[in-house]
Amino acid sequence: WKTSVLFKVCDHVIERYDFDKEDRLKKIIIELSPSAIGKSLADTMNELGKKHENRGKSFWCLFVHEKVLAVYENLLEKNPEDENLQRNLGVSLNNVGRIYENLGEGEKALEYYMRSLEIMESLEKKEPGRTDWQSDLGVSLSNVGRIYESLGEGKKALEYYIRFMEIMESLVKKEPGRTDWQRDLGVSLNNVGRIHERLGEGEKALEYYMRDLEISESLVKKDPGRTDWQRDLGVSLGKVGGIYLSLGEGDKALEYYRRALEIRRLLVEKEPEVVDRYIGLAFALLDMSRVTEDEGMKREFVTEAYTITKSLVDSGVTHLQLVDLAKILSL
């Protein structure tokens, strides 16, 4: 009966965004063994975990994703040759790794990401023609690369990012109409560009950023209502602006930063419940403060970024980028 109650509470929380039921849900989950949950309910719990990520509640989200991980491990013990379960386990490992990454625990995140990568590489080797598994492998490579980047190992990160990029280029060539793969190709180009930027290779970084920007603009034109694609475009514009600023072309940087800020404001209006939207807006405001010559405007941008950041910190949001913002603004 507890499994049935859990399913109903999960559905209630997700459908109505009713997070007053969190405590009740947590008590039920704690008492349930992984074997009692099953795949269907694990999938529902995954959705719940994603909702919590949007709210910046990383500790609760980690609790949910770790429980789901235990479910898939239990299912695989009974069916070790089931490739779909192996794939689900790989995705689950990525979910747990991502939360540890958001909490600033890079080394721990890397453990989960490497386990996921091992699974995805194994699946892709069994059936190299499975494009869905190639895509999953690309995601795992990107995750590992991002951790190495955060640990200051840029050249090691670049190896994983380039493998990710090569996979996505191959997939987009096979099915150029797949917008999800176009989007992932853009992400991979951004990753490679970012490493070249950190290595002081601005011109080379700009090449990758401009290719990413072209993809992001194309996707937004196809579906202007997709907030995730708008978010990607905001990131791309900010990256290009940053390179032009580093190359001493302030006017050009201002042009891209201004467009990025407009998008970030729009995203907060559209999705006020998503924490990432506020963090992105705060960074865009700080970017504008770096290129604005008017001292009054500069103060306004910094003050607004400070207000947003302080509000998130005071509300108990846990997010790695929020930590960076707080440091920049001396909070």
mmCIF file of all heavy atoms in Angstrom, residues 309 322-331:
data_model
loop_
_atom_site.group_PDB
_atom_site.id
_atom_site.type_symbol
_atom_site.label_atom_id
_atom_site.label_comp_id
_atom_site.label_asym_id
_atom_site.label_seq_id
_atom_site.Cartn_x
_atom_site.Cartn_y
_atom_site.Cartn_z
ATOM 1 N N THR A 309 20.884 37.939 -6.091
ATOM 2 C CA THR A 309 21.745 36.936 -5.451
ATOM 3 C C THR A 309 21.431 36.806 -3.972
ATOM 4 O O THR A 309 21.314 35.698 -3.441
ATOM 5 C CB THR A 309 23.228 37.293 -5.654
ATOM 6 O OG1 THR A 309 23.479 37.443 -7.049
ATOM 7 C CG2 THR A 309 24.132 36.212 -5.087
ATOM 8 N N LEU A 322 25.523 29.875 -7.858
ATOM 9 C CA LEU A 322 25.128 30.867 -6.855
ATOM 10 C C LEU A 322 26.296 31.141 -5.910
ATOM 11 O O LEU A 322 26.492 32.277 -5.469
ATOM 12 C CB LEU A 322 23.911 30.377 -6.079
ATOM 13 C CG LEU A 322 23.344 31.333 -5.028
ATOM 14 C CD1 LEU A 322 22.938 32.658 -5.661
ATOM 15 C CD2 LEU A 322 22.156 30.699 -4.320
ATOM 16 N N VAL A 323 27.061 30.116 -5.614
ATOM 17 C CA VAL A 323 28.266 30.294 -4.787
ATOM 18 C C VAL A 323 29.228 31.251 -5.478
ATOM 19 O O VAL A 323 29.799 32.151 -4.849
ATOM 20 C CB VAL A 323 28.956 28.937 -4.530
ATOM 21 C CG1 VAL A 323 30.281 29.139 -3.789
ATOM 22 C CG2 VAL A 323 28.041 28.017 -3.725
ATOM 23 N N ASP A 324 29.409 31.070 -6.793
ATOM 24 C CA ASP A 324 30.287 31.955 -7.562
ATOM 25 C C ASP A 324 29.767 33.393 -7.532
ATOM 26 O O ASP A 324 30.549 34.343 -7.347
ATOM 27 C CB ASP A 324 30.387 31.481 -9.016
ATOM 28 C CG ASP A 324 31.088 30.140 -9.147
ATOM 29 O OD1 ASP A 324 31.867 29.805 -8.247
ATOM 30 O OD2 ASP A 324 30.857 29.432 -10.155
ATOM 31 N N LEU A 325 28.458 33.542 -7.712
ATOM 32 C CA LEU A 325 27.867 34.887 -7.676
ATOM 33 C C LEU A 325 28.084 35.567 -6.324
ATOM 34 O O LEU A 325 28.438 36.745 -6.250
ATOM 35 C CB LEU A 325 26.360 34.793 -7.943
ATOM 36 C CG LEU A 325 25.866 34.890 -9.384
ATOM 37 C CD1 LEU A 325 24.368 34.664 -9.426
ATOM 38 C CD2 LEU A 325 26.214 36.239 -10.004
ATOM 39 N N ALA A 326 27.863 34.794 -5.267
ATOM 40 C CA ALA A 326 28.019 35.341 -3.913
ATOM 41 C C ALA A 326 29.449 35.811 -3.663
ATOM 42 O O ALA A 326 29.675 36.846 -3.016
ATOM 43 C CB ALA A 326 27.606 34.298 -2.876
ATOM 44 N N LYS A 327 30.404 35.080 -4.198
ATOM 45 C CA LYS A 327 31.813 35.468 -4.045
ATOM 46 C C LYS A 327 32.099 36.765 -4.811
ATOM 47 O O LYS A 327 32.754 37.677 -4.303
ATOM 48 C CB LYS A 327 32.723 34.353 -4.550
ATOM 49 C CG LYS A 327 32.815 33.142 -3.632
ATOM 50 C CD LYS A 327 33.724 32.083 -4.223
ATOM 51 C CE LYS A 327 33.784 30.845 -3.322
ATOM 52 N NZ LYS A 327 34.613 29.761 -3.924
ATOM 53 N N ILE A 328 31.608 36.833 -6.036
ATOM 54 C CA ILE A 328 31.825 38.019 -6.863
ATOM 55 C C ILE A 328 31.248 39.260 -6.192
ATOM 56 O O ILE A 328 31.857 40.340 -6.205
ATOM 57 C CB ILE A 328 31.184 37.832 -8.254
ATOM 58 C CG1 ILE A 328 31.927 36.728 -9.042
ATOM 59 C CG2 ILE A 328 31.206 39.142 -9.048
ATOM 60 C CD1 ILE A 328 31.216 36.301 -10.310
ATOM 61 N N LEU A 329 30.080 39.105 -5.576
ATOM 62 C CA LEU A 329 29.368 40.247 -4.980
ATOM 63 C C LEU A 329 29.660 40.404 -3.484
ATOM 64 O O LEU A 329 28.999 41.184 -2.810
ATOM 65 C CB LEU A 329 27.870 40.069 -5.221
ATOM 66 C CG LEU A 329 27.454 40.155 -6.698
ATOM 67 C CD1 LEU A 329 26.047 39.612 -6.893
ATOM 68 C CD2 LEU A 329 27.533 41.602 -7.176
ATOM 69 N N SER A 330 30.626 39.617 -2.992
ATOM 70 C CA SER A 330 31.057 39.715 -1.586
ATOM 71 C C SER A 330 29.918 39.501 -0.608
ATOM 72 O O SER A 330 29.775 40.203 0.399
ATOM 73 C CB SER A 330 31.708 41.094 -1.312
ATOM 74 O OG SER A 330 32.800 41.283 -2.171
ATOM 75 N N LEU A 331 29.086 38.501 -0.892
ATOM 76 C CA LEU A 331 27.979 38.152 0.011
ATOM 77 C C LEU A 331 28.430 37.100 1.019
ATOM 78 O O LEU A 331 29.127 36.157 0.617
ATOM 79 C CB LEU A 331 26.795 37.621 -0.798
ATOM 80 C CG LEU A 331 25.818 38.665 -1.314
ATOM 81 C CD1 LEU A 331 24.851 38.033 -2.302
ATOM 82 C CD2 LEU A 331 25.043 39.280 -0.167
#
